[in-house]
Amino acid sequence: MTRPLIPGILAMAAIVVASNILVQFLFGQWLTWGAFTYPLAFLVTDVMNRVYGVATARKVVLAGFVVGLICSAIGTQISGEFGPLVTWRIALGSGTAFLVAQLLDIAVFDRLRQGAWWRAPLISTLLGSSLDTALFFIIAFSASLSFIEPANDVSWANEILPLLGSGPEAPLWVSLAVADWMVKLSLALAALVPFRLIVARLMPRVA
């Protein structure tokens, strides 16, 4: 394992583990605390991509994916008030969303890396975050995919309610997805500052 991989993998692993823990705790009505830590995974991926290249970024993402699988496997074995902390649908949705969205982020970033410094991280993160949100919530909670885990009752997530409490009626999971997506978009913009600072600090060492 080369030296650049170690801090990237450690940072990604810390974010994945923290997010898997914090997702168990609610923040308001539509979010969990994990919604504020998980998007930082895109920051790690983009920094590794900018400084060390596509191959290194993919290895960091793969390491995060493996850590996420381990966390999900542990979560399925721990029972909470309403059953396992992590259902198999949530585990599948989480793993699929993470891997596909992060790989998209890497590919888009690489296509845009020659433009203005902010363009690649912003656009790749916005697209990756949007795909991540869509894949996770559809796989984990949509009634149309209940065949994935028939024993898992997701009727609570499909209760029809006003979107975010005041919009048009939609399944509850759609409100959860929209709230999650809005946080990711906000953090994508905020993350441009640390991205710029971290890259500026690391690039002279690489050159």
Side-chain angles (χ1 to χ4, degrees):
M1 182 180 295
T2 58
R3 286 188 64 187
L5 275 175
I6 297 175
I9 287 176
L10 291 177
M12 183 67 79
I15 290 168
V16 171
V17 172
S19 298
N20 273 271
I21 294 172
L22 292 174
V23 76
Q24 307 298 327
F25 302 96
L26 291 174
F27 177 84
Q29 187 175 359
W30 311 109
L31 295 166
T32 69
W33 281 102
F36 298 94
T37 55
Y38 177 77
L40 296 177
F42 290 97
L43 172 61
V44 173
T45 300
D46 289 347
V47 168
M48 299 304 291
N49 200 345
R50 171 64 77 188
V51 179
Y52 302 111
V54 171
T56 298
R58 285 175 180 158
K59 291 176 183 177
V60 170
V61 165
L62 181 60
F65 176 68
V66 172
V67 172
L69 289 181
I70 294 172
C71 290
S72 293
I74 294 173
T76 61
Q77 303 304 310
I78 301 176
S79 295
E81 182 179 356
F82 302 103
L85 293 182
V86 179
T87 67
W88 288 111
R89 280 189 68 174
I90 289 177
L92 177 62
S94 177
T96 301
F98 177 88
L99 186 60
V100 174
Q102 291 290 332
L103 292 179
L104 174 65
D105 177 276
I106 291 172
V108 172
F109 189 105
D110 191 49
R111 290 290 298 271
L112 301 176
R113 68 167 61 247
Q114 299 304 323
W117 71 266
W118 54 266
R119 188 180 175 201
L122 180 61
I123 295 178
S124 64
T125 298
L126 290 177
L127 292 177
S129 296
S130 298
L131 181 61
D132 180 276
T133 299
L135 284 176
F136 172 73
F137 282 95
I138 290 173
I139 293 173
F141 300 119
S142 174
S144 63
L145 297 181
S146 59
F147 63 87
I148 294 176
E149 190 180 8
N152 177 21
D153 182 12
V154 293
S155 59
W156 64 271
N158 288 274
E159 182 182 359
I160 303 300
L161 297 169
L163 185 66
L164 295 177
S166 59
E169 292 191 341
L172 170 60
W173 68 264
V174 175
S175 289
L176 301 177
V178 170
D180 181 83
W181 180 66
M182 292 171 65
V183 169
K184 286 175 179 171
L185 296 190
S186 299
L187 290 179
L189 290 170
L192 289 175
V193 174
F195 172 85
R196 182 68 165 172
L197 295 175
I198 295 170
V199 168
R201 183 177 181 83
L202 293 178
M203 286 296 281
R205 301 182 183 180
V206 177

